[in-house]
């Protein structure tokens, strides 16, 4: 019997007052994903009429005491309905609930965890803000790094909650399974994980079973009993049947809930339900197909057509369905289908978005493929076009690939990939590119460039270079318009420059930047800003921080602000601040860094490619002002980022390890400073950094040896460094090496065993002065006041060694006059006792009367601190760690969670938290990660 609307009717759903006003909506606090679908976090409301299943509710309630509950059964067994019932029943569940409905689009780790963490944020205010910010990066870190701050934040909460991931079988990405395992292994006591899935997921289930930490409900548990089948058919479906008919139907469906539902729909208008039951046989799959055909075929032609043409959509709206069908009236149809409960579920209170029951959608799609396969390409094309028009690129590409229309998909990838990448979904873009035929990708130069970008940010540098070569080869073959060819060549140069930057090859990096700027059109704002930012490196590589470089940086910063890309803004501001440091404008540099922290939230800075450099440079700046505690926190933060998955460039790695070594030197810990630089050189060897990075670190190590009193080691470096005091045009990149060479020479002239005859000594010192004059002239010409101060200090020490005391004081006075406005400290103090003695002499001559007393006061404190360190071990703490604290620290350094430590040490969670808090206090750090770093630095264990 055909009707004009769906015939079946069910019960009305309980409104969910907590739902938001829209489903597809822009989420400003989730900038990494413009298509955040809020309805995926909605908890399905329970039915007003439903079969209460107290024995299952009791098992779910008991399972919350452990870390994981697994509800596993094929489609149609009532998993979602059961969980919806349980979470809404106050007599069964007292925990807060966060819910995520998963689909195949959630196989991107960034997308998956964005939904999960946002769901948790609805329960614990701001608990996931740091983790979400880490995902909001063009190069998100490994999920372990993202989840660690989330777990630490959760551990501080006492409210019990349950995180439900529905349809987890949709997740196939191994990286998600691995990161969820990490979450499960470190789950705080307040949180329970509940998965609804069609198959057991690849999680450590055997281990959890063995420990009694897993609650499982399977098909046999969900199967309706005869009593439950009776209640369902009579009370819910309003289909009174004789008891023997219900028993027979329950037997034939084997308690399969969807089978009973579909059978009831098919029997609703039959005069002889018994004959239907008598012919009702077959496997569950056959039953599903048979019953849906029965229900489907009973609908009007309009309804059948609507169901067939819209079943390929994961989510449905009136306008989208209108576009798919090429006709109006879809909204009314969706509302009618929902009222009839024809396996259509509303996703929001406004009835804007819906979805089909998964089983129903699967059957409809199979039928469409079997009966009207020729329609599929047309329907997918229409869906892709609609999504494209409504700025939903992920769905647009999905349907284009499903056609499959690879040319259209490639067009969309070219159009949207940079934006999607900006939302932090590089893996989504890589998935698109993997779905496209290799031959097609190679025919599109810009697609090759995009692929190279994604490969670069995921640390696949060799593959990225190969893709750039594919782009170049295609440009040679194609008759590409000149302007387009030049643009792509410019983009290739930008990416290639970034690749070589990871090795620290500044010269090649700068060369590629110049090439990019010469080729890119003025209208290509994003690429030009990136290239201009790297062009600033050309000035830094040459040591030129004159007005021309300042103008360029101002242009770069303005362009970065206009682009809206946080990582470009951060890097450009960092460059600007570093230029100010070289100019001797330390307060201005600090102001720029503060601007960066105001423009970009700190949790975002921590996940951007320029994050490590930001922390290291600001830490160096504060160290120079002798603000060692603040500097230490910043350098530790940067080192923590270096230990993560972000692939830092060679010069950023050097910046980090030298910042840490200089900080250790400032504290008089020369041994650890040397070890820090040795570690850098191991990394440089493994990553094959360019030689100048290693040479710089070796020179700094020699300088630290010298300051620590190991002149023989410093002298060996001087003999092997390949530099000469007589070099006519010393390179700026090796400036610090030359200055270290001068320091070694001065120290040698002080030691009787290394001192040559008087004439030779004077000759060597004269050569040192000439070298310093050449270096100083270059620094002054290029406005590097910071370098000038350092060179004047060394000139003063050289003149002092020559016995020219008056000239030494003049040179020192010049240095002090330049340094006083910026408040330099460590540049003087790190030269050690000889310069401090000269400073004391200068104070007796009335030089820098407002500045020198501050310098000397810090020098005196430093001497007293040195005496204290001689009286106690270098690794002593304010208060020693107790034996139990050392046990806890050992487990912390192994990455154990509070739960694991409590289990291993047979202590309560509260006691473990107290030990961790005490350890952090004794180490002078703020969190577990910093405690591990500090413990490693101090070799406590």
């Amino acid at each position: 019997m055909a009707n004009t609307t769906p015939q079946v009717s069910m019960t009305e759903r309980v409104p969910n007052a907590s739902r938001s006003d829209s489903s597809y909506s822009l989420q400003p606090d989730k900038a990494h994903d413009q298509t955040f679908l809020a309805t995926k976090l909605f908890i399905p409301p329970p039915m007003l009429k439903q079969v209460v299943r107290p024995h299952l509710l009791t098992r779910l309630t008991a399972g919350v005491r452990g870390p994981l509950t697994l509800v596993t059964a094929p489609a149609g067994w009532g998993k979602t309905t059961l969980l919806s019932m349980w979470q809404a029943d106050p007599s069964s569940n007292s925990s807060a609930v966060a819910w995520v409905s998963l689909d195949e689009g959630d196989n991107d780790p960034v997308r998956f965890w964005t939904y999960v963490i946002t769901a948790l944020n609805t329960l614990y205010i701001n608990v996931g803000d740091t983790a979400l910010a880490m995902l909001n990066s063009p190069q998100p870190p490994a999920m372990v790094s993202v989840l660690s701050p989330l777990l630490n934040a959760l551990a501080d909460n006492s409210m019990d909650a349950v995180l439900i991931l529905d349809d987890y079988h949709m997740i196939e990405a191994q990286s998600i399974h691995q990161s969820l395992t990490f979450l499960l292994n470190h789950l705080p006591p307040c949180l329970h994980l509940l998965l609804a899935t069609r198959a057991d997921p690849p999680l450590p289930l055997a281990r959890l079973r063995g420990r009694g930490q897993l609650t499982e409900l399977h098909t046999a548990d969900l199967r309706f009993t005869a009593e439950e089948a009776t209640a369902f058919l009579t009370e819910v479906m309003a289909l009174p049947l004789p008891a023997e008919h219900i028993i027979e139907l329950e037997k034939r469906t084997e308690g399969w809930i969807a089978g009973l539902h579909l059978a009831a729909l098919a029997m609703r208008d039959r005069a002889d339900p018994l004959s239907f039951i008598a012919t009702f046989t077959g496997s569950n799959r056959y039953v599903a197909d048979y019953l849906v055909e029965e229900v489907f075929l009973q609908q009007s032609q309009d309804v059948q057509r609507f169901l067939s043409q819209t079943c390929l959509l994961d989510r449905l709206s009136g306008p989208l369905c209108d576009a798919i069908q090429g006709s109006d009236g879809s909204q009314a149809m969706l509302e009618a289908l929902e009222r009839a409960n024809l396996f259509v579920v509303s996703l929001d209170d406004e009835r804007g978005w819906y979805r089909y029951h998964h089983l129903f959608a699967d059957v409809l799609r199979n039928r469409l493929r079997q009966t009207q396969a020729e329609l599929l390409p047309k329907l997918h094309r229409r869906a892709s076009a609609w999504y494209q028009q409504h700025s939903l690129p992920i769905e647009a590409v999905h349907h284009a690939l499903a056609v499959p229309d690879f040319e259209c998909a490639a067009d969309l990838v070219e159009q949207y990939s940079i934006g999607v990448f900006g939302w932090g979904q590089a893996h989504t873009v890589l998935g698109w590119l993997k779905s496209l035929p290799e031959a097609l990708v190679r025919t599109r130069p810009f697609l090759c460039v995009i692929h190279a970008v994604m490969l670069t940010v995921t640390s696949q540098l060799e593959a990225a270079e190969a893709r750039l070569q594919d782009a170049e080869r295609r440009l040679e073959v194609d008759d590409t318009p000149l302007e387009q060819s030049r643009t792509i060549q410019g983009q290739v140069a930008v990416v290639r420059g970034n690749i070589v930057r990871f090795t620290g090859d500044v010269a090649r990096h700068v060369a590629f930047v110049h090439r990019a700027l010469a080729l890119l059109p003025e209208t290509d704002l994003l690429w030009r800003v990136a290239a201009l930012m790297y062009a600033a490196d050309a000035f830094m590589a040459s040591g030129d921080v004159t007005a021309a470089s300042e103008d360029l940086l101002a242009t770069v910063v303005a362009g970065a602000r206009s682009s809206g890309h946080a990582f470009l803004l951060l890097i450009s501001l960092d460059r600007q601040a570093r230029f100010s440091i070289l100019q001797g404008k330390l307060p201005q540099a600090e102001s720029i860094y503060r601007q960066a922290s105001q423009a970009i939230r700190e949790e975002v800075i921590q996940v951007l490619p320029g994050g490590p450099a930001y922390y290291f440079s600001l830490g160096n700046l504060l160290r120079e002002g002798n603000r060692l505690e603040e500097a230490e926190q910043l350098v530790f933060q940067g080192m923590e980022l270096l230990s993560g998955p972000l692939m830092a460039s060679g010069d950023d790695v050097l910046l980090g390890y030298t910042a840490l070594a200089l900080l250790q030197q400032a504290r008089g810990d020369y041994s650890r400073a040397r070890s820090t630089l040795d570690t850098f050189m191991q990394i440089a060897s493994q990553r094959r950094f360019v030689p100048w990075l290693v040479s710089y670190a070796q020179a700094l190590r020699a300088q630290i040896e010298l300051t620590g009193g190991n002149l023989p080691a410093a002298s060996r470096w001087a003999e092997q460094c390949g530099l000469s005091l007589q070099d006519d045009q010393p390179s700026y990149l090796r400036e610090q090496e030359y200055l270290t060479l001068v320091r070694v020479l001065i120290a040698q002239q002080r030691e009787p065993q290394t001192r040559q005859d008087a004439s030779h000594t004077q000759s060597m010192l004269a050569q040192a002065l000439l070298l310093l004059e050449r270096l100083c002239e270059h620094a002054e010409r290029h406005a590097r006041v910071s370098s000038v101060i350092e060179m004047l200090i060394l000139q003063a020490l050289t003149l002092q060694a020559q016995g020219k005391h008056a000239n030494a004081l003049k040179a020192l006075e010049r240095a002090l006059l330049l340094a006083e406005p910026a408040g330099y400290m460590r540049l003087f103090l790190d030269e050690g006792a000889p310069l401090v003695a000269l400073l004391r002499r200068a104070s007796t001559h009335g030089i820098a009367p407002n500045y020198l007393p501050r310098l000397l006061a810090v020098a005196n404190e430093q001497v007293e601190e040195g005496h204290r360190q001689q009286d106690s071990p270098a690794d002593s703490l304010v208060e020693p760690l107790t034996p139990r604290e050392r046990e806890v620290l050992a487990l912390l350094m192994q990455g154990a969670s509070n739960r694991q430590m409590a289990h291993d040490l047979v202590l309560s969670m509260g006691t473990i938290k107290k030990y961790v808090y005490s350890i952090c206090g004794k180490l002078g750090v703020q969190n577990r990660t910093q405690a591990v770093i500090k413990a490693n630095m101090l070799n406590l264990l």
Side-chain angles (χ1 to χ4, degrees):
M1 183 183 299
N3 297 326
T4 57
T5 58
Q7 299 174 21
V8 293
S9 64
M10 282 284 287
T11 55
E12 295 181 1
R13 294 184 177 274
V14 177
N16 187 342
S18 65
R19 293 182 176 181
S20 64
D21 292 334
S22 63
S23 53
Y24 270 118
S25 62
L26 296 183
Q27 305 286 329
D29 57 330
K30 302 173 183 65
H32 52 280
D33 191 350
Q34 193 178 5
T35 58
F36 185 86
L37 185 59
T39 54
K40 286 164 64 66
L41 307 186
F42 290 170
I43 299 175
M47 308 291 289
L48 284 176
K49 291 184 179 180
Q50 58 187 355
V51 178
V52 180
R53 314 187 73 183
H55 62 295
L56 296 181
L57 300 181
T58 299
R59 289 183 62 182
L60 289 172
T61 301
V64 172
R65 291 194 290 267
L68 178 65
T69 294
L70 205 59
V71 181
T72 308
W77 283 93
K79 301 183 292 295
T80 301
T81 301
L82 173 65
L83 298 182
S84 173
M85 180 194 309
W86 172 77
Q87 65 84 26
D89 182 7
S91 64
S92 300
N93 172 42
S94 60
S95 301
V97 173
W99 187 298
V100 183
S101 298
L102 299 169
D103 55 49
E104 64 181 8
D106 297 322
N107 276 284
D108 184 290
V110 171
R111 190 176 179 87
F112 174 88
W113 285 110
T114 295
Y115 281 117
V116 170
I117 296 169
T118 303
L120 290 172
N121 255 0
T122 66
L123 302 182
Y124 305 102
I125 302 301
N126 301 327
V127 74
D129 284 0
T130 298
L132 283 174
M134 296 175 75
L135 292 174
N136 181 17
S137 166
Q139 190 178 354
M143 288 306 156
V144 170
S145 300
V146 173
L147 295 178
S148 294
L150 172 68
L151 289 164
N152 289 335
L154 287 170
D156 293 333
N157 286 276
S158 58
M159 182 184 73
D160 291 332
V162 178
L163 171 63
I164 298 177
L165 303 183
D166 197 12
D167 290 334
Y168 189 76
H169 58 273
M170 302 299 293
I171 302 302
E172 299 176 351
Q174 187 60 32
S175 59
I176 294 180
H177 297 316
Q178 292 170 349
S179 54
L180 190 67
T181 298
F182 176 82
L183 179 82
L184 192 58
N185 288 340
H186 300 84
L187 207 63
C190 66
L191 186 62
H192 177 80
L193 182 62
L194 198 160
L195 305 183
T197 176
R198 295 184 186 179
D200 282 351
L203 301 175
L205 303 182
R207 187 185 73 202
L208 292 170
R209 288 190 189 104
R211 295 178 177 177
Q213 296 177 330
L214 175 63
T215 298
E216 296 179 89
L217 298 181
H218 290 287
T219 304
D221 302 302
L222 299 178
R223 181 175 290 121
F224 266 174
T225 63
E227 292 78 12
E228 289 173 331
T230 300
F232 177 75
L233 291 171
T234 58
E235 298 174 15
V236 177
M237 297 302 296
L239 187 65
L241 292 173
E244 60 272 20
H245 292 179
I246 293 176
I247 292 172
E248 181 65 20
L249 186 58
E250 187 275 330
K251 179 180 177 181
R252 290 178 180 272
T253 60
E254 300 181 15
W256 180 40
I257 299 171
L260 286 169
H261 187 183
L262 291 167
L265 295 178
M267 288 189 292
R268 178 71 59 87
D269 296 312
R270 288 183 177 269
D272 186 8
L274 182 59
S275 62
F276 171 82
I277 295 173
T279 59
F280 184 68
T281 60
S283 66
N284 283 355
R285 183 178 180 85
Y286 171 80
V287 169
D289 290 346
Y290 177 77
L291 289 178
V292 172
E293 288 290 344
E294 285 290 308
V295 174
F296 178 81
L297 292 176
Q298 296 305 310
Q299 309 306 316
S300 68
Q301 290 297 315
D302 288 342
V303 172
Q304 289 185 31
R305 186 182 306 108
F306 181 87
L307 294 173
S308 295
Q309 294 185 359
T310 59
C311 65
L312 54 83
L313 300 170
D314 291 329
R315 287 171 176 79
L316 309 95
S317 72
L320 173 57
C321 292
D322 285 345
I324 291 290
Q325 295 192 104
S327 61
D328 299 331
S330 298
Q331 183 63 36
M333 178 66 75
L334 287 168
E335 293 175 6
L337 291 173
E338 184 194 16
R339 286 193 299 271
N341 200 30
L342 191 62
F343 295 97
V344 176
V345 180
S346 175
L347 297 176
D348 56 33
D349 290 336
E350 290 70 38
R351 301 304 191 260
W353 287 89
Y354 299 80
R355 69 168 176 85
Y356 290 123
H357 184 283
H358 297 313
L359 173 67
F360 192 46
D362 289 344
V363 173
L364 290 174
R365 289 166 187 168
N366 287 334
R367 185 176 186 280
L368 181 62
R369 282 191 290 269
Q370 294 166 4
T371 62
Q372 295 178 290
E374 70 282 359
L375 275 181
L376 281 169
K378 180 189 299 183
L379 297 175
H380 279 299
R381 278 197 179 91
R382 290 175 175 174
S384 180
W386 188 90
Y387 282 122
Q388 183 180 0
Q389 291 167 6
H390 290 79
S391 300
L392 298 169
I394 293 175
E395 291 81 0
V397 175
H398 167 75
H399 284 283
L401 290 171
V403 172
D405 186 341
F406 294 127
E407 290 289 344
C408 175
D411 289 341
L412 293 172
V413 172
E414 289 184 343
Q415 180 179 352
Y416 290 114
S417 58
I418 296 299
V420 174
F421 163 55
W423 307 333
Q425 296 191 34
H427 288 284
T428 293
V429 179
L430 284 172
W432 293 344
L433 291 161
K434 186 177 180 180
S435 298
L436 294 173
E438 173 69 13
L440 174 61
V441 175
R442 289 184 175 179
T443 64
R444 289 176 169 245
F446 183 53
L447 208 56
C448 291
V449 172
I450 291 170
H451 200 181
V453 171
M454 304 307 149
L455 292 168
T456 300
V457 299
T458 54
S459 305
Q460 303 174 66
L461 301 185
E462 292 183 3
E465 172 57 33
R467 265 297 183 243
L468 293 179
Q469 293 176 17
D470 288 339
E472 291 172 324
R473 278 192 290 269
R474 195 64 199 181
L475 287 177
E476 293 174 0
V477 173
D478 287 349
D479 187 19
T480 308
L482 179 60
E483 184 177 346
Q484 182 182 350
S485 176
R486 286 176 59 82
T487 298
I488 292 174
Q489 290 178 57
Q491 293 163 347
V492 167
V494 172
V495 180
R496 185 167 282 145
N498 204 29
I499 291 173
V500 301
R501 182 171 173 268
F502 285 113
T503 68
D505 192 339
V506 175
R508 290 185 65 211
H509 168 64
V510 169
F512 283 124
V513 168
H514 283 306
R515 174 172 170 77
L517 289 172
L519 293 169
L520 290 168
E522 294 291 337
T523 55
D524 200 344
L525 176 63
L526 180 63
W527 288 91
R528 282 195 66 84
V529 167
L532 283 169
M533 179 180 61
Y534 295 138
D537 291 338
F539 286 97
M540 190 169 290
S542 65
D544 184 355
V545 291
T546 54
S549 63
E550 284 190 291
D551 293 343
L552 173 62
L553 275 169
T555 301
V556 170
V557 172
R561 291 187 190 276
S562 299
S563 74
H565 285 261
F567 64 98
L568 288 180
L569 180 58
L570 177 64
I571 296 174
S572 63
L573 287 171
D574 174 63
R575 294 292 190 278
Q576 195 173 43
R578 285 206 238 176
F579 272 56
S580 293
I581 291 172
L582 289 174
Q583 292 171 327
K585 302 173 182 177
L586 304 191
Q588 177 175 300
E590 184 173 358
S591 175
I592 293 170
Y593 280 123
R594 298 310 176 196
Q595 289 177 36
S597 65
Q598 292 168 5
I600 311 166
R601 298 195 314 274
E602 183 169 357
E603 57 267 29
V604 176
I605 291 175
Q606 291 176 356
V607 298
L608 293 176
Y614 165 84
Y615 287 112
F616 296 143
S617 296
L618 182 54
N620 259 337
L621 177 63
L622 299 187
R623 176 194 56 80
E624 180 54 50
N626 206 47
R627 294 154 64 180
L628 301 185
E629 296 296 333
E630 296 173 76
E632 185 176 62
Q633 291 296 323
L634 290 163
V635 172
F636 280 177
Q637 283 180 275
M639 294 302 290
E640 197 172 333
L641 297 182
L642 278 191
S643 64
L646 280 175
M647 187 162 184
S649 63
D651 50 336
D652 283 354
V653 177
L654 174 68
L655 181 63
Y657 279 89
T658 54
L660 180 56
L662 288 168
L663 185 60
Q664 291 163 334
Q665 176 187 243
R667 293 194 179 282
D669 197 345
Y670 305 115
S671 174
R672 289 198 177 89
R674 292 192 299 269
S675 297
T676 294
L677 293 172
D678 290 340
T679 301
F680 166 78
M681 280 175 286
Q682 292 173 4
I683 296 171
S685 175
Q686 293 166 1
R687 287 183 51 181
R688 292 178 290 182
F689 289 163
V690 291
W692 80 264
L693 295 175
V694 177
S695 298
Y696 185 101
Q698 290 172 335
L700 180 58
R701 193 185 191 284
Q703 180 181 333
I704 290 171
E705 292 277 25
L706 195 61
T707 308
N710 190 354
L711 178 58
S715 297
R716 285 193 296 273
W717 168 83
E719 293 170 1
Q720 300 167 5
C721 69
L723 300 178
S724 168
L725 295 174
Q726 298 176 346
D727 290 344
D728 290 333
Q729 294 182 326
S731 165
Y732 166 68
L733 284 178
R734 306 195 72 176
E735 179 179 272
Q736 287 302 313
E737 295 175 62
Y738 281 109
L739 297 182
T740 300
L741 183 62
V742 171
R743 288 182 175 98
V744 174
L745 172 65
I746 296 171
Q748 287 174 338
Q749 306 315 310
R750 298 195 195 103
E751 296 294 327
Q753 62 270 30
T754 59
R755 189 183 302 156
Q756 306 290 330
D757 61 79
S759 62
H760 184 267
T761 297
Q762 290 299 322
S763 174
M764 296 296 291
L765 291 173
Q767 290 181 35
L769 280 174
L770 290 174
L771 174 63
L772 288 171
E773 287 176 8
R774 291 194 295 275
L775 291 170
C776 195
E777 187 277 330
H778 185 278
E780 288 177 331
R781 182 158 28 95
H782 293 92
R784 293 196 316 279
V785 173
S786 182
S787 295
V788 171
I789 295 170
E790 187 172 6
M791 292 161 190
L792 287 171
I793 290 171
L794 292 179
Q795 282 184 4
L797 289 172
T798 305
L799 291 165
Q800 178 78 0
Q802 287 181 317
K804 299 177 181 179
H805 306 300
N807 290 342
L809 288 177
K810 288 181 181 178
L812 182 58
E813 183 175 18
R814 278 192 64 202
L816 290 168
L817 289 174
L818 289 173
E820 183 173 2
Y824 281 88
M825 288 279 181
R826 298 312 315 180
L827 207 55
F828 294 90
L829 299 175
D830 289 343
E831 292 298 334
L835 184 65
V836 172
L838 192 56
L839 289 171
R840 294 190 194 284
R841 182 177 300 174
S843 69
T844 64
H845 287 73
I847 294 173
N850 297 321
Y851 182 36
L852 255 180
R854 285 186 283 138
L855 273 174
L856 291 173
V858 175
N860 291 334
E861 292 174 4
Q862 198 165 275
V863 171
E864 293 174 3
E865 178 63 25
H867 291 157
R868 284 194 294 270
Q869 289 183 5
Q870 290 176 3
D871 296 333
S872 62
D875 60 353
S876 64
L877 305 176
V878 174
E879 181 183 347
L881 296 178
T882 66
R884 179 63 89 180
E885 286 171 343
R886 294 177 73 86
E887 289 179 338
V888 172
L889 178 60
L891 292 173
L892 269 178
M893 296 174 74
Q894 296 170 19
S897 66
N898 286 352
R899 183 195 295 274
Q900 289 174 311
M901 290 190 288
H903 177 269
D904 292 347
L905 299 178
V906 195
L907 297 171
S908 70
M909 288 284 293
T911 302
I912 289 294
K913 288 181 179 180
K914 289 179 181 177
Y915 277 127
V916 172
Y917 180 81
S918 176
I919 291 168
C920 288
K922 290 181 179 181
L923 290 176
V925 297
Q926 296 179 345
N927 56 48
R928 296 160 55 109
T929 303
Q930 292 178 1
V932 170
I933 294 173
K934 187 75 172 281
N936 277 320
M937 289 176 57
L938 297 177
N939 294 322
L940 288 181
L941 301 180

